[in-house]
Amino acid sequence: MKATGFLFLILLSIADIAQCQDYSFKESYAITSPVELSIVTSDGDINFENITGGVTGITSDGHINGEIVSIEYPTELKTSDGGIDLTIPEGAGFDLEMSGENLHADFKKFNGDVNENYISGQVNGGGELIKLATSDGRINLEFN
């Protein structure tokens, strides 16, 4: 997991928590999975990779870029002014809510509603909820 911002607190357990404030500071940590990871910053990017579990990532002014290799818990990524790029495993089942100005996802098995600024439904039969939202930016959901 890589988080941009001042690292306020990290607990290495099932409920791993990292909170950030307005500082330009980068830290990298190896965290034992599965985790429910929470990263919050008011002005900065959030980056994470190779996560087994789920992530809550919230920033008011920054980009969110992440990779989940196994969806074990719900995930919520939210930014007011920035984009979201999330990579998840091909074939994973999950429930999805995406909202923003420019949405991109290439689904093979999707059941739900799609319009210009909102996507809601089940991918590959459903599962844990993945909620992605931005007020001013692009959301790109990729599969590997």
Side-chain angles (χ1 to χ4, degrees), residues 8-24:
F8 186 73
L9 174 66
I10 268 212
L11 302 174
L12 299 179
S13 67
I14 293 294
D16 289 317
I17 300 172
Q19 293 183 343
C20 304
Q21 294 179 0
D22 294 334
Y23 298 97
S24 291

Side-chain angles (χ1 to χ4, degrees), residues 112-129:
D113 299 317
V114 177
N115 69 44
E116 184 179 351
N117 298 314
Y118 190 75
I119 297 174
S120 177
Q122 294 184 326
V123 178
N124 295 321
E128 296 291 347
L129 176 63

Side-chain angles (χ1 to χ4, degrees), residues 49-60:
E49 59 189 12
N50 298 319
I51 297 293
T52 295
V55 178
T56 299
I58 300 170
T59 180
S60 60

Side-chain angles (χ1 to χ4, degrees), residues 6-125:
F6 176 74
L7 190 60
F8 186 73
L9 174 66
I10 268 212
L11 302 174
L12 299 179
S13 67
I14 293 294
D16 289 317
I17 300 172
Q19 293 183 343
C20 304
Q21 294 179 0
D22 294 334
Y23 298 97
S24 291
F25 190 74
K26 286 188 175 184
E27 287 293 328
S28 297
Y29 295 90
I31 299 174
T32 305
S33 294
V35 297
E36 287 183 275
L37 182 65
S38 182
I39 307 165
V40 179
T41 178
S42 62
D43 186 13
D45 295 343
I46 296 173
N47 299 292
F48 58 90
E49 59 189 12
N50 298 319
I51 297 293
T52 295
V55 178
T56 299
I58 300 170
T59 180
S60 60
D61 185 17
H63 188 85
I64 301 173
N65 184 41
E67 175 192 32
I68 298 176
V69 296
S70 180
I71 304 166
E72 305 290 330
Y73 301 107
T75 290
E76 181 175 7
L77 304 177
K78 193 183 311 184
T79 179
S80 298
D81 186 17
I84 299 172
D85 290 299
L86 179 64
T87 303
I88 57 175
E90 181 95 30
F94 58 95
D95 294 347
L96 177 66
E97 291 182 22
M98 288 174 65
S99 62
E101 290 182 332
N102 187 345
L103 308 178
H104 179 269
D106 188 18
F107 304 115
K108 292 187 176 153
K109 295 181 181 177
F110 176 76
N111 182 23
D113 299 317
V114 177
N115 69 44
E116 184 179 351
N117 298 314
Y118 190 75
I119 297 174
S120 177
Q122 294 184 326
V123 178
N124 295 321

